[in-house]
Amino acid sequence: MSVRVQTEDFDLSAETEKLIGGRRDVGAIVTFTGKVRGDDDGREVSTLTLEHYPEMTEAEMARIEQEAMQRWPLQAVLMLHRVGELKAGDNIVLVIAASAHRQAAFEAASFLMDYLKTRAPFWKKETGADGSSTWVEARAEDDDAADRWR
């Protein structure tokens, strides 16, 4: 299983090498790296704090990974999500999909990110430059993106 939740930052090149490392059956690698935005609808964001229930979150991420592996001919997948307090500009999420061919890798990476965003239980709290905090609500456009895979 290539699902991880961690507080530490990650390095895209190192994670890709660790996942693919010399495999000769991989012809396409698609990656997505998400960053903490410093602005959310005009409100300056200083930090984003992510909380989760480890067993619940990791189990759902594993289900998402399994569904992607059933839908597309993938050689390798990694879903890595950070938790804790992150600053604007920090890495927050990494998705890697590797396949023999590009189309499967592109589609799987998009699917993984859409489902990770809408199905994995993470709670996010933004803290503004003024010190005020608000919990981030689910967005309809994220649900719409995930609906295309049904």
Side-chain angles (χ1 to χ4, degrees), residues 100-150:
H101 302 285
R102 74 183 188 286
Q103 194 62 40
F106 275 117
E107 289 178 7
S110 188
F111 166 86
L112 289 163
M113 196 57 230
D114 288 343
Y115 271 43
L116 182 59
K117 182 87 172 161
T118 58
R119 291 191 175 178
F122 289 97
W123 294 271
K124 301 175 184 178
K125 181 172 62 172
E126 293 177 338
T127 301
D130 62 1
S132 65
S133 296
T134 59
W135 290 99
V136 177
E137 298 289 327
R139 298 176 188 216
E141 57 264 24
D142 292 331
D143 290 328
D144 292 344
D147 284 346
R148 71 186 167 133
W149 301 109
R150 293 190 184 139

Short mmCIF file of all heavy atoms in Angstrom, two decimals, residues 100-150:
data_model
loop_
_atom_site.label_atom_id
_atom_site.label_comp_id
_atom_site.label_asym_id
_atom_site.label_seq_id
_atom_site.Cartn_x
_atom_site.Cartn_y
_atom_site.Cartn_z
N ALA A 100 2.10 2.04 -17.72
CA ALA A 100 2.86 1.80 -18.95
C ALA A 100 2.58 2.91 -19.97
O ALA A 100 3.44 3.24 -20.79
CB ALA A 100 2.50 0.44 -19.54
N HIS A 101 1.38 3.49 -19.90
CA HIS A 101 0.98 4.49 -20.90
C HIS A 101 0.41 5.74 -20.23
O HIS A 101 -0.18 5.67 -19.14
CB HIS A 101 -0.06 3.90 -21.84
CG HIS A 101 0.44 2.67 -22.54
ND1 HIS A 101 1.34 2.72 -23.58
CD2 HIS A 101 0.21 1.36 -22.31
CE1 HIS A 101 1.64 1.49 -23.99
NE2 HIS A 101 0.96 0.63 -23.22
N ARG A 102 0.56 6.88 -20.89
CA ARG A 102 0.24 8.18 -20.30
C ARG A 102 -1.23 8.37 -19.96
O ARG A 102 -1.55 8.96 -18.93
CB ARG A 102 0.72 9.32 -21.19
CG ARG A 102 -0.09 9.54 -22.45
CD ARG A 102 0.50 10.66 -23.30
NE ARG A 102 -0.33 11.02 -24.41
CZ ARG A 102 -0.50 10.32 -25.51
NH1 ARG A 102 0.09 9.15 -25.64
NH2 ARG A 102 -1.28 10.75 -26.48
N GLN A 103 -2.16 7.90 -20.78
CA GLN A 103 -3.57 8.18 -20.54
C GLN A 103 -4.04 7.61 -19.20
O GLN A 103 -4.73 8.27 -18.44
CB GLN A 103 -4.45 7.66 -21.69
CG GLN A 103 -5.85 8.21 -21.67
CD GLN A 103 -5.89 9.73 -21.84
OE1 GLN A 103 -5.16 10.30 -22.62
NE2 GLN A 103 -6.75 10.39 -21.08
N ALA A 104 -3.66 6.38 -18.93
CA ALA A 104 -4.04 5.76 -17.66
C ALA A 104 -3.44 6.54 -16.49
O ALA A 104 -4.11 6.76 -15.48
CB ALA A 104 -3.59 4.30 -17.62
N ALA A 105 -2.19 6.97 -16.62
CA ALA A 105 -1.55 7.71 -15.53
C ALA A 105 -2.23 9.06 -15.31
O ALA A 105 -2.48 9.45 -14.16
CB ALA A 105 -0.06 7.90 -15.83
N PHE A 106 -2.55 9.78 -16.39
CA PHE A 106 -3.24 11.06 -16.25
C PHE A 106 -4.61 10.90 -15.60
O PHE A 106 -4.96 11.62 -14.66
CB PHE A 106 -3.43 11.74 -17.62
CG PHE A 106 -2.26 12.55 -18.07
CD1 PHE A 106 -1.56 12.20 -19.22
CD2 PHE A 106 -1.85 13.67 -17.37
CE1 PHE A 106 -0.48 12.95 -19.66
CE2 PHE A 106 -0.76 14.43 -17.80
CZ PHE A 106 -0.08 14.06 -18.94
N GLU A 107 -5.39 9.96 -16.11
CA GLU A 107 -6.74 9.77 -15.58
C GLU A 107 -6.71 9.31 -14.12
O GLU A 107 -7.48 9.80 -13.29
CB GLU A 107 -7.51 8.77 -16.44
CG GLU A 107 -7.89 9.34 -17.79
CD GLU A 107 -8.61 8.34 -18.68
OE1 GLU A 107 -8.96 7.24 -18.22
OE2 GLU A 107 -8.83 8.69 -19.86
N ALA A 108 -5.83 8.38 -13.81
CA ALA A 108 -5.75 7.88 -12.44
C ALA A 108 -5.32 8.97 -11.47
O ALA A 108 -5.89 9.09 -10.38
CB ALA A 108 -4.78 6.69 -12.37
N ALA A 109 -4.35 9.79 -11.85
CA ALA A 109 -3.91 10.87 -10.96
C ALA A 109 -5.05 11.85 -10.70
O ALA A 109 -5.26 12.29 -9.56
CB ALA A 109 -2.70 11.60 -11.56
N SER A 110 -5.80 12.17 -11.72
CA SER A 110 -6.94 13.08 -11.56
C SER A 110 -8.01 12.46 -10.66
O SER A 110 -8.54 13.11 -9.75
CB SER A 110 -7.52 13.43 -12.94
OG SER A 110 -8.49 14.42 -12.83
N PHE A 111 -8.32 11.20 -10.90
CA PHE A 111 -9.28 10.48 -10.07
C PHE A 111 -8.83 10.44 -8.61
O PHE A 111 -9.60 10.73 -7.70
CB PHE A 111 -9.44 9.05 -10.61
CG PHE A 111 -10.14 8.11 -9.67
CD1 PHE A 111 -11.52 8.02 -9.65
CD2 PHE A 111 -9.41 7.31 -8.80
CE1 PHE A 111 -12.16 7.16 -8.77
CE2 PHE A 111 -10.05 6.43 -7.93
CZ PHE A 111 -11.42 6.37 -7.92
N LEU A 112 -7.58 10.06 -8.39
CA LEU A 112 -7.05 9.96 -7.03
C LEU A 112 -7.17 11.29 -6.30
O LEU A 112 -7.60 11.34 -5.15
CB LEU A 112 -5.59 9.52 -7.06
CG LEU A 112 -5.35 8.06 -7.45
CD1 LEU A 112 -3.89 7.85 -7.84
CD2 LEU A 112 -5.75 7.12 -6.33
N MET A 113 -6.83 12.38 -6.96
CA MET A 113 -6.91 13.69 -6.32
C MET A 113 -8.36 14.09 -6.06
O MET A 113 -8.69 14.58 -4.98
CB MET A 113 -6.18 14.73 -7.17
CG MET A 113 -5.87 16.00 -6.45
SD MET A 113 -4.87 15.71 -4.97
CE MET A 113 -5.83 16.62 -3.78
N ASP A 114 -9.25 13.86 -7.03
CA ASP A 114 -10.66 14.20 -6.85
C ASP A 114 -11.27 13.43 -5.68
O ASP A 114 -11.99 14.00 -4.85
CB ASP A 114 -11.47 13.91 -8.12
CG ASP A 114 -11.19 14.90 -9.23
OD1 ASP A 114 -10.64 15.99 -8.97
OD2 ASP A 114 -11.54 14.58 -10.39
N TYR A 115 -10.97 12.14 -5.59
CA TYR A 115 -11.54 11.33 -4.51
C TYR A 115 -10.86 11.61 -3.18
O TYR A 115 -11.51 11.59 -2.14
CB TYR A 115 -11.47 9.85 -4.88
CG TYR A 115 -12.70 9.38 -5.62
CD1 TYR A 115 -13.27 10.14 -6.63
CD2 TYR A 115 -13.30 8.18 -5.33
CE1 TYR A 115 -14.40 9.72 -7.32
CE2 TYR A 115 -14.42 7.73 -6.00
CZ TYR A 115 -14.96 8.51 -7.00
OH TYR A 115 -16.08 8.10 -7.66
N LEU A 116 -9.55 11.87 -3.21
CA LEU A 116 -8.85 12.23 -1.97
C LEU A 116 -9.45 13.50 -1.39
O LEU A 116 -9.69 13.60 -0.19
CB LEU A 116 -7.36 12.42 -2.27
CG LEU A 116 -6.44 12.75 -1.11
CD1 LEU A 116 -6.48 11.67 -0.04
CD2 LEU A 116 -5.02 12.92 -1.63
N LYS A 117 -9.74 14.46 -2.25
CA LYS A 117 -10.28 15.75 -1.81
C LYS A 117 -11.69 15.61 -1.23
O LYS A 117 -12.04 16.34 -0.30
CB LYS A 117 -10.29 16.70 -3.02
CG LYS A 117 -10.76 18.07 -2.77
CD LYS A 117 -9.64 18.94 -2.31
CE LYS A 117 -10.12 20.38 -2.24
NZ LYS A 117 -9.30 21.19 -1.43
N THR A 118 -12.48 14.69 -1.75
CA THR A 118 -13.90 14.62 -1.34
C THR A 118 -14.22 13.47 -0.40
O THR A 118 -15.24 13.53 0.29
CB THR A 118 -14.81 14.52 -2.57
OG1 THR A 118 -14.44 13.36 -3.35
CG2 THR A 118 -14.72 15.77 -3.43
N ARG A 119 -13.42 12.42 -0.38
CA ARG A 119 -13.77 11.24 0.42
C ARG A 119 -12.90 10.99 1.64
O ARG A 119 -13.35 10.37 2.60
CB ARG A 119 -13.74 9.99 -0.47
CG ARG A 119 -14.85 9.97 -1.48
CD ARG A 119 -14.92 8.62 -2.12
NE ARG A 119 -16.06 8.53 -3.03
CZ ARG A 119 -16.32 7.48 -3.74
NH1 ARG A 119 -15.55 6.42 -3.68
NH2 ARG A 119 -17.37 7.46 -4.54
N ALA A 120 -11.66 11.41 1.60
CA ALA A 120 -10.77 11.17 2.74
C ALA A 120 -11.08 12.18 3.84
O ALA A 120 -11.13 13.38 3.57
CB ALA A 120 -9.32 11.26 2.31
N PRO A 121 -11.31 11.71 5.06
CA PRO A 121 -11.71 12.61 6.13
C PRO A 121 -10.54 13.40 6.74
O PRO A 121 -9.80 12.90 7.58
CB PRO A 121 -12.36 11.68 7.17
CG PRO A 121 -11.73 10.35 6.91
CD PRO A 121 -11.36 10.31 5.45
N PHE A 122 -10.40 14.61 6.25
CA PHE A 122 -9.46 15.59 6.82
C PHE A 122 -10.28 16.82 7.19
O PHE A 122 -11.22 17.18 6.50
CB PHE A 122 -8.41 16.03 5.79
CG PHE A 122 -7.40 14.97 5.46
CD1 PHE A 122 -7.56 14.18 4.33
CD2 PHE A 122 -6.28 14.77 6.26
CE1 PHE A 122 -6.62 13.21 4.01
CE2 PHE A 122 -5.35 13.81 5.95
CZ PHE A 122 -5.52 13.02 4.82
N TRP A 123 -9.91 17.43 8.31
CA TRP A 123 -10.56 18.68 8.73
C TRP A 123 -9.51 19.76 8.67
O TRP A 123 -8.39 19.61 9.18
CB TRP A 123 -11.13 18.52 10.13
CG TRP A 123 -12.24 17.53 10.14
CD1 TRP A 123 -13.56 17.78 9.93
CD2 TRP A 123 -12.14 16.11 10.34
NE1 TRP A 123 -14.28 16.60 9.99
CE2 TRP A 123 -13.43 15.57 10.24
CE3 TRP A 123 -11.06 15.25 10.59
CZ2 TRP A 123 -13.69 14.21 10.38
CZ3 TRP A 123 -11.32 13.90 10.72
CH2 TRP A 123 -12.62 13.40 10.62
N LYS A 124 -9.89 20.89 8.01
CA LYS A 124 -8.93 21.96 7.76
C LYS A 124 -9.40 23.25 8.40
O LYS A 124 -10.56 23.66 8.25
CB LYS A 124 -8.79 22.18 6.25
CG LYS A 124 -8.34 20.95 5.50
CD LYS A 124 -8.35 21.18 4.00
CE LYS A 124 -7.99 19.91 3.26
NZ LYS A 124 -8.03 20.10 1.81
N LYS A 125 -8.47 23.89 9.09
CA LYS A 125 -8.76 25.18 9.71
C LYS A 125 -7.74 26.20 9.21
O LYS A 125 -6.53 26.01 9.36
CB LYS A 125 -8.69 25.07 11.23
CG LYS A 125 -9.01 26.37 11.96
CD LYS A 125 -9.13 26.19 13.45
CE LYS A 125 -7.83 25.72 14.05
NZ LYS A 125 -7.84 25.71 15.52
N GLU A 126 -8.25 27.27 8.62
CA GLU A 126 -7.39 28.35 8.14
C GLU A 126 -7.26 29.42 9.23
O GLU A 126 -8.25 29.78 9.87
CB GLU A 126 -7.99 29.02 6.90
CG GLU A 126 -8.03 28.16 5.68
CD GLU A 126 -8.68 28.84 4.50
OE1 GLU A 126 -9.48 29.79 4.70
OE2 GLU A 126 -8.41 28.39 3.37
N THR A 127 -6.04 29.92 9.38
CA THR A 127 -5.81 31.04 10.28
C THR A 127 -5.31 32.20 9.43
O THR A 127 -4.33 32.04 8.67
CB THR A 127 -4.79 30.68 11.36
OG1 THR A 127 -5.29 29.56 12.11
CG2 THR A 127 -4.56 31.85 12.31
N GLY A 128 -5.99 33.31 9.55
CA GLY A 128 -5.65 34.48 8.76
C GLY A 128 -4.52 35.28 9.37
O GLY A 128 -4.08 35.04 10.50
N ALA A 129 -4.07 36.28 8.62
CA ALA A 129 -2.99 37.15 9.08
C ALA A 129 -3.39 37.90 10.34
O ALA A 129 -2.55 38.24 11.16
CB ALA A 129 -2.61 38.12 7.97
N ASP A 130 -4.70 38.10 10.52
CA ASP A 130 -5.20 38.81 11.71
C ASP A 130 -5.37 37.90 12.92
O ASP A 130 -5.80 38.34 13.99
CB ASP A 130 -6.52 39.51 11.39
CG ASP A 130 -7.62 38.54 11.00
OD1 ASP A 130 -7.39 37.31 10.99
OD2 ASP A 130 -8.73 39.01 10.70
N GLY A 131 -5.06 36.61 12.76
CA GLY A 131 -5.16 35.67 13.86
C GLY A 131 -6.50 34.96 13.97
O GLY A 131 -6.64 34.02 14.76
N SER A 132 -7.49 35.37 13.18
CA SER A 132 -8.80 34.71 13.24
C SER A 132 -8.75 33.39 12.48
O SER A 132 -8.03 33.24 11.50
CB SER A 132 -9.88 35.62 12.64
OG SER A 132 -9.63 35.82 11.27
N SER A 133 -9.52 32.40 12.97
CA SER A 133 -9.53 31.07 12.38
C SER A 133 -10.93 30.68 11.93
O SER A 133 -11.91 31.03 12.58
CB SER A 133 -9.05 30.02 13.39
OG SER A 133 -7.71 30.27 13.72
N THR A 134 -10.98 29.94 10.82
CA THR A 134 -12.25 29.40 10.32
C THR A 134 -12.01 28.00 9.79
O THR A 134 -10.96 27.72 9.22
CB THR A 134 -12.86 30.27 9.19
OG1 THR A 134 -11.92 30.34 8.11
CG2 THR A 134 -13.20 31.66 9.65
N TRP A 135 -13.01 27.12 10.02
CA TRP A 135 -12.95 25.77 9.45
C TRP A 135 -13.32 25.86 7.98
O TRP A 135 -14.24 26.59 7.60
CB TRP A 135 -13.90 24.83 10.19
CG TRP A 135 -13.40 24.54 11.57
CD1 TRP A 135 -13.81 25.12 12.73
CD2 TRP A 135 -12.38 23.62 11.93
NE1 TRP A 135 -13.11 24.61 13.80
CE2 TRP A 135 -12.22 23.69 13.33
CE3 TRP A 135 -11.56 22.74 11.21
CZ2 TRP A 135 -11.29 22.91 14.02
CZ3 TRP A 135 -10.65 21.96 11.90
CH2 TRP A 135 -10.53 22.06 13.28
N VAL A 136 -12.62 25.11 7.15
CA VAL A 136 -12.85 25.11 5.71
C VAL A 136 -14.02 24.19 5.39
O VAL A 136 -14.02 23.02 5.81
CB VAL A 136 -11.58 24.66 4.95
CG1 VAL A 136 -11.84 24.58 3.46
CG2 VAL A 136 -10.42 25.58 5.27
N GLU A 137 -14.99 24.69 4.69
CA GLU A 137 -16.17 23.92 4.29
C GLU A 137 -15.89 23.17 2.98
O GLU A 137 -15.07 23.61 2.17
CB GLU A 137 -17.36 24.86 4.08
CG GLU A 137 -17.79 25.62 5.32
CD GLU A 137 -18.46 24.72 6.35
OE1 GLU A 137 -19.14 23.76 5.96
OE2 GLU A 137 -18.26 24.98 7.56
N ALA A 138 -16.60 22.08 2.78
CA ALA A 138 -16.52 21.36 1.51
C ALA A 138 -17.04 22.27 0.40
O ALA A 138 -17.92 23.10 0.62
CB ALA A 138 -17.35 20.08 1.58
N ARG A 139 -16.49 22.10 -0.80
CA ARG A 139 -16.88 22.94 -1.93
C ARG A 139 -17.62 22.12 -2.97
O ARG A 139 -17.23 21.00 -3.30
CB ARG A 139 -15.64 23.58 -2.56
CG ARG A 139 -14.92 24.49 -1.59
CD ARG A 139 -13.66 25.04 -2.19
NE ARG A 139 -12.93 25.75 -1.15
CZ ARG A 139 -12.24 26.84 -1.36
NH1 ARG A 139 -12.15 27.35 -2.55
NH2 ARG A 139 -11.62 27.42 -0.35
N ALA A 140 -18.67 22.71 -3.50
CA ALA A 140 -19.50 22.03 -4.50
C ALA A 140 -18.69 21.66 -5.73
O ALA A 140 -18.90 20.59 -6.31
CB ALA A 140 -20.69 22.91 -4.88
N GLU A 141 -17.75 22.50 -6.14
CA GLU A 141 -16.96 22.19 -7.34
C GLU A 141 -16.08 20.96 -7.13
O GLU A 141 -15.80 20.24 -8.10
CB GLU A 141 -16.13 23.40 -7.81
CG GLU A 141 -15.19 23.96 -6.79
CD GLU A 141 -15.75 25.15 -6.01
OE1 GLU A 141 -16.97 25.30 -5.90
OE2 GLU A 141 -14.92 25.92 -5.49
N ASP A 142 -15.66 20.69 -5.90
CA ASP A 142 -14.90 19.47 -5.63
C ASP A 142 -15.79 18.23 -5.78
O ASP A 142 -15.37 17.22 -6.34
CB ASP A 142 -14.28 19.50 -4.24
CG ASP A 142 -13.20 20.57 -4.11
OD1 ASP A 142 -12.54 20.89 -5.12
OD2 ASP A 142 -13.00 21.07 -2.98
N ASP A 143 -17.02 18.33 -5.28
CA ASP A 143 -17.98 17.23 -5.45
C ASP A 143 -18.30 17.00 -6.92
O ASP A 143 -18.39 15.85 -7.37
CB ASP A 143 -19.26 17.50 -4.66
CG ASP A 143 -19.04 17.42 -3.15
OD1 ASP A 143 -18.18 16.62 -2.71
OD2 ASP A 143 -19.73 18.16 -2.43
N ASP A 144 -18.47 18.09 -7.68
CA ASP A 144 -18.75 17.98 -9.11
C ASP A 144 -17.60 17.28 -9.84
O ASP A 144 -17.84 16.45 -10.72
CB ASP A 144 -18.99 19.36 -9.72
CG ASP A 144 -20.28 20.01 -9.24
OD1 ASP A 144 -21.14 19.30 -8.68
OD2 ASP A 144 -20.41 21.24 -9.41
N ALA A 145 -16.36 17.62 -9.47
CA ALA A 145 -15.20 16.98 -10.10
C ALA A 145 -15.19 15.49 -9.80
O ALA A 145 -14.91 14.67 -10.70
CB ALA A 145 -13.91 17.63 -9.61
N ALA A 146 -15.50 15.09 -8.58
CA ALA A 146 -15.51 13.67 -8.21
C ALA A 146 -16.67 12.94 -8.89
O ALA A 146 -16.54 11.75 -9.23
CB ALA A 146 -15.60 13.50 -6.70
N ASP A 147 -17.78 13.62 -9.10
CA ASP A 147 -18.95 12.98 -9.73
C ASP A 147 -18.66 12.50 -11.14
O ASP A 147 -19.32 11.56 -11.61
CB ASP A 147 -20.14 13.95 -9.75
CG ASP A 147 -20.80 14.10 -8.39
OD1 ASP A 147 -20.52 13.27 -7.50
OD2 ASP A 147 -21.59 15.05 -8.22
N ARG A 148 -17.73 13.09 -11.84
CA ARG A 148 -17.46 12.67 -13.23
C ARG A 148 -16.93 11.24 -13.31
O ARG A 148 -16.94 10.64 -14.37
CB ARG A 148 -16.53 13.65 -13.91
CG ARG A 148 -15.12 13.60 -13.40
CD ARG A 148 -14.29 14.70 -14.03
NE ARG A 148 -13.06 14.86 -13.33
CZ ARG A 148 -11.89 14.95 -13.93
NH1 ARG A 148 -11.82 14.91 -15.24
NH2 ARG A 148 -10.79 15.08 -13.23
N TRP A 149 -16.44 10.70 -12.19
CA TRP A 149 -15.88 9.35 -12.19
C TRP A 149 -16.93 8.29 -11.88
O TRP A 149 -16.60 7.10 -11.88
CB TRP A 149 -14.74 9.26 -11.18
CG TRP A 149 -13.66 10.24 -11.48
CD1 TRP A 149 -13.34 11.38 -10.78
CD2 TRP A 149 -12.76 10.20 -12.58
NE1 TRP A 149 -12.29 12.03 -11.37
CE2 TRP A 149 -11.91 11.32 -12.49
CE3 TRP A 149 -12.56 9.33 -13.64
CZ2 TRP A 149 -10.90 11.59 -13.40
CZ3 TRP A 149 -11.56 9.59 -14.56
CH2 TRP A 149 -10.76 10.71 -14.44
N ARG A 150 -18.17 8.68 -11.64
CA ARG A 150 -19.20 7.69 -11.32
C ARG A 150 -19.83 7.15 -12.58
O ARG A 150 -19.85 7.68 -13.61
CB ARG A 150 -20.28 8.32 -10.44
CG ARG A 150 -19.70 8.64 -9.10
CD ARG A 150 -20.72 9.03 -8.10
NE ARG A 150 -19.98 9.39 -6.88
CZ ARG A 150 -20.28 10.40 -6.12
NH1 ARG A 150 -21.32 11.14 -6.36
NH2 ARG A 150 -19.57 10.66 -5.06
#
